[in-house]
Amino acid sequence: KTLSTNELRQRFLDYFRERGHAIVPSSPLVPQNDPTLLFTNAGMVQFKDVFLGREKRDYSRATTSQRCVRAGGKHNDLENVGYTARHHTFFEMLGNFSFGDYFKREAIQYAWDFLTKEVGLAEDRLWVTVYEEDDEAADIWLKELGVSPERFSRIGEADNFWSMGDTGPCGPCSEIFYDHGPEVAGGPPGTPEEDGDRYVEIWNLVFMQYDRDADGNMKPLPAPCVDTGMGLERIAAVLQGVHSNYDTDLFQRLIRAAAEAVGGSQDLDHPSLKVIADHIRACSFLIVDGVIPSNEGRGYVLRRIIRRAVRHGYKLGAQDSFFHKLVPTLVAEMGEAFPELKRKADEVVRALRREEERFSETVAQGMKLLDEVIADLDGDTIPGETVFKLYDTYGFPVDLTADIARERELKVDQAGFEAAMKAQRERARAASQFGSGQAAAPDLDVETEFTGYEQTGHAATITHIFRD
Ligand code: ATP
Ligand code: MG
Ligand code: MG
Ligand code: MG
């Protein structure tokens, strides 16, 4: 019998509890202790101050299934959704953490033992990478655990060295990949073909080992720490013997619910159903965690994701608002593991329905305009003014237009859009100087929201977390 996603989550947490780890609940998607971060995007986020030694907990080992969102801002997986088998906007990151307790050897052993013994994966389907200079980790894998050198590689800093910021804790990583087999396109880690879906990264182990100072000198940390992350949906796919995350139990039920909600008979493999199934999780949990659709910041990211989902529903022929109808299925799947979802289900339905209704008033008109422009198009680029008009008049976020363009093998004129935006902003500013009572359109700044955290000391955290 294969493990359900829910059973697998529990299995992981129990495995680490049996090995002395405290099971800690997922923290919300809006980070509580880090205003520089858009959304919680890794298991370590809630423990950042513990790693830095600023906060003490009454345990030195923890395990979590952390809800994460990687959408919006400069680095995000939104564009991958529906196109790769393995990326979501919302996913759960399973993790085990050591705060100055065990280190490299145990972390590697736990991970290998979990995969090959606890859930019984064949060793010859796994591939391991270490940081190129990390001989210690290489020895543990090759000599102590007997991993085959043929399925092992040393990888450079860009992928296998992690740091919390320009200064502070940092150290090498080791990653475990699963080989879905030659039927799937893609090459092993470290090769140019890596970006396919054949070798899927399932688990990332980070060994916080050094303290880097402003001059780049690295001193060993007095108490090295461990931070690991494994995508629940990816390991569920592996254990359920399917290649795509979207073919797992949880996603299949969401996809069926989506097909039903948009009406008519659907090809259950349609990418739009995957997008909708992905987006209902992100949107619902963002609302659970206090984000509301708006024109700025987090709320704008939420609005973009909802509108993208709704547009995909229309593509499938939805006549009515449908997105909120998926909430009961989501609650049935995830409400046990996340009681806050169950508690706030009604609120989620209301917020989604309201946003869908707002958008549906103009979406048909916007699509009509876009279709006309595309029909008359000379080259392969949708002009910036059209992108702007769709945004300004019909509420199409730019990435929504880009999504439609991509489906039709077209490009969007990003620079032209930005110029139109700027002109609009200047007009608004001029208007407000004359006291015309027109708003100065602060809402129009949203497209460039949240690139600011790259300028903070947590830059490296963000880049690590979003590394592809
Ligand atoms: P990838 O290279 O596949 O984009 P990553 O290196 O960006 O993954 P990490 O930051 O190392 O991911 O996160 C730890 C784990 O979380 C990954 O090994 C993967 O299993 C999972 N994960 C990361 N991003 C996603 C996503 N967008 N959707 C689902 N799972 C993800
Ligand atoms: Mg990784
Ligand atoms: Mg990676
Ligand atoms: Mg990534």
Side-chain angles (χ1 to χ4, degrees):
K1 180 190 169 289
T2 59
L3 285 174
S4 69
T5 300
N6 281 320
E7 287 165 345
L8 181 55
R9 180 194 303 102
Q10 199 54 48
R11 189 81 169 258
F12 180 92
L13 297 172
D14 288 343
Y15 173 88
F16 281 100
R17 186 184 46 206
E18 285 156 15
R19 286 155 185 80
H21 294 64
I23 298 181
V24 177
S26 168
S27 66
L29 289 169
V30 176
Q32 318 269 287
N33 57 355
D34 189 350
T36 67
L37 195 56
L38 183 57
F39 298 121
T40 298
N41 49 21
M44 58 80 61
V45 169
Q46 69 165 318
F47 300 117
K48 195 132 111 188
D49 287 340
V50 187
F51 286 123
L52 289 169
R54 290 184 193 142
E55 195 191 325
K56 272 256 149 252
R57 301 273 170 108
D58 52 13
Y59 44 79
S60 61
R61 301 174 169 211
T63 182
T64 61
S65 186
Q66 175 65 50
R67 55 184 181 274
C68 296
V69 164
R70 294 185 178 189
K74 226 177 179 178
H75 305 272
N76 77 76
D77 288 332
L78 184 64
E79 256 84 90
N80 287 325
V81 171
Y83 294 95
T84 77
R86 65 190 196 281
H87 284 104
H88 303 298
T89 53
F90 172 99
F91 64 99
E92 287 180 63
M93 196 185 285
L94 300 167
N96 56 293
F97 306 89
S98 158
F99 310 113
D101 187 324
Y102 62 85
F103 197 47
K104 216 174 275 187
R105 170 167 293 105
E106 295 88 329
I108 291 175
Q109 270 165 354
Y110 284 148
W112 193 246
D113 182 76
F114 181 81
L115 294 175
T116 60
K117 301 212 177 82
E118 181 72 12
V119 296
L121 291 183
E123 292 188 14
D124 62 6
R125 301 301 287 271
L126 298 171
W127 187 292
V128 171
T129 69
V130 297
Y131 174 51
E132 54 193 359
E133 290 171 22
D134 193 355
D135 294 331
E136 188 189 356
D139 283 349
I140 296 169
W141 284 114
L142 297 169
K143 296 188 183 149
E144 295 181 28
L145 297 178
V147 162
S148 162
E150 274 156 33
R151 290 187 310 277
F152 178 87
S153 36
R154 291 175 180 253
I155 303 278
E157 180 162 351
D159 262 315
N160 277 23
F161 195 87
W162 178 88
S163 42
M164 197 178 282
D166 296 334
T167 60
C170 57
C173 312
S174 186
E175 293 191 323
I176 305 171
F177 292 72
Y178 184 79
D179 177 3
H180 279 278
E183 316 78 65
V184 184
T191 67
E193 297 76 33
E194 171 181 350
D195 209 25
D197 277 324
R198 174 169 171 182
Y199 291 86
V200 172
E201 178 189 324
I202 49 176
W203 206 340
N204 193 356
L205 317 178
V206 180
F207 313 121
M208 289 183 209
Q209 187 164 3
Y210 306 106
D211 188 7
R212 186 158 52 192
D213 69 19
D215 298 325
N217 302 315
M218 299 206 290
K219 275 195 330 247
L221 279 174
C225 294
V226 171
D227 154 27
T228 87
M230 171 158 69
L232 172 63
E233 301 76 6
R234 292 188 187 183
I235 184 69
V238 167
L239 291 171
Q240 293 176 18
V242 294
H243 157 244
S244 165
N245 292 3
Y246 293 96
D247 289 332
T248 58
D249 59 334
L250 186 154
F251 271 100
Q252 281 294 301
R253 283 193 279 270
L254 285 174
I255 284 171
R256 279 199 294 273
E260 200 170 302
V262 297
S265 63
Q266 301 288 342
D267 163 16
L268 292 182
D269 228 12
H270 197 291
S272 290
L273 288 176
K274 297 178 191 171
V275 171
I276 295 167
D278 172 90
H279 289 6
I280 191 63
R281 303 207 308 161
C283 296
S284 299
F285 276 97
L286 285 170
I287 295 167
V288 164
D289 287 336
V291 181
I292 45 173
S294 78
N295 272 342
E296 54 187 22
R298 299 187 172 103
Y300 190 60
V301 176
L302 171 59
R303 171 161 285 170
R304 277 157 56 187
I305 306 176
I306 295 174
R307 293 187 169 188
R308 196 165 181 258
V310 170
R311 208 269 305 174
H312 280 277
Y314 284 122
K315 247 182 86 179
L316 294 171
Q319 302 291 323
D320 241 325
S321 64
F322 68 94
F323 195 43
H324 65 277
K325 293 182 185 158
L326 303 188
V327 173
T329 306
L330 181 66
V331 172
E333 290 299 315
M334 298 185 70
E336 193 96 26
F338 298 95
E340 51 277 81
L341 172 67
K342 204 187 271 178
R343 221 166 37 239
K344 295 191 180 165
D346 292 344
E347 196 182 306
V348 173
V349 169
R350 275 197 302 276
L352 288 177
R353 189 165 44 204
R354 202 178 311 128
E355 181 66 12
E356 278 188 83
E357 280 163 3
R358 280 179 77 147
F359 186 46
S360 66
E361 285 163 22
T362 56
V363 70
Q365 292 157 284
M367 283 306 298
K368 191 158 163 274
L369 170 82
L370 186 57
D371 283 335
E372 280 162 15
V373 170
I374 289 175
D376 293 343
L377 209 58
D378 260 338
D380 63 353
T381 306
I382 300 173
E385 299 95 84
T386 308
V387 182
F388 179 72
K389 190 163 182 204
L390 285 168
Y391 169 74
D392 193 46
T393 312
Y394 302 105
F396 279 45
V398 181
D399 50 11
L400 180 59
T401 308
D403 195 38
I404 301 167
R406 179 171 169 180
E407 283 165 15
R408 312 204 184 169
E409 290 171 1
L410 298 170
K411 297 196 261 296
V412 298
D413 173 13
Q414 185 76 28
F417 166 74
E418 273 154 27
M421 255 323 227
K422 199 163 156 235
Q424 154 94 330
R425 224 175 279 147
E426 268 148 26
R427 279 195 303 276
R429 197 171 301 130
S432 69
Q433 273 163 6
F434 290 114
S436 72
Q438 277 206 29
D443 289 347
L444 297 180
D445 281 320
V446 287
E447 284 299 326
T448 51
E449 272 292 315
F450 282 110
T451 51
Y453 51 18
E454 242 122 14
Q455 294 138 20
T456 73
H458 296 301
T461 314
I462 309 300
T463 16
H464 152 68
I465 284 169
F466 288 110
R467 189 178 46 223
D468 275 300

